[in-house]
Amino acid sequence: MIKRNNVQAFKFDEKLKEFFLWLSAEDGKMFCSYCKEFNKTSRSKFILDLKWMRIKNVLSHKASNTHKTSRSTFLQCVSQ
């Protein structure tokens, strides 16, 4: 966490990508690259403002059916 002018700003920790290869961040938002790319029907795309970033949210998303389906689609595309 970084403080700027007494406002807390969160910085995405790139070390998280060692454990969650699908986790990305841009424009102050954290998201699942699998779901962003392959989940075209569900509203649950796991896009989260970094100030609300918590590991429990990442783990919860990883266990979701939406993520599992998107990951499966990603793996099918890679294996072709």
Side-chain angles (χ1 to χ4, degrees):
M1 180 171 38
I2 303 167
K3 280 197 171 189
R4 292 186 202 139
N5 301 328
N6 282 337
V7 176
Q8 293 180 349
F10 288 81
K11 183 179 177 192
F12 182 74
D13 186 351
E14 292 291 329
K15 291 179 184 177
L16 287 172
K17 288 184 144 190
E18 293 176 24
F19 304 100
F20 308 105
L21 300 176
W22 45 268
L23 197 59
S24 296
E26 63 184 43
D27 300 328
K29 304 280 185 198
M30 177 176 66
F31 61 92
C32 172
S33 58
Y34 296 158
C35 292
K36 185 176 180 184
E37 182 67 27
F38 297 105
N39 180 12
K40 304 299 183 192
T41 58
S42 174
R43 292 182 184 197
S44 174
K45 299 208 185 315
F46 190 70
I47 299 173
L48 191 62
D49 193 310
L50 282 178
K51 68 183 177 183
W52 299 110
M53 188 189 104
R54 301 288 183 267
I55 293 299
K56 69 178 185 172
N57 295 343
V58 175
L59 293 173
S60 176
H61 175 73
K62 182 180 177 185
S64 73
N65 287 333
T66 300
H67 176 76
K68 290 176 184 177
T69 302
S70 297
R71 180 180 180 273
S72 177
T73 304
F74 168 77
L75 293 174
Q76 287 174 359
C77 289
V78 171
S79 67
Q80 295 178 355

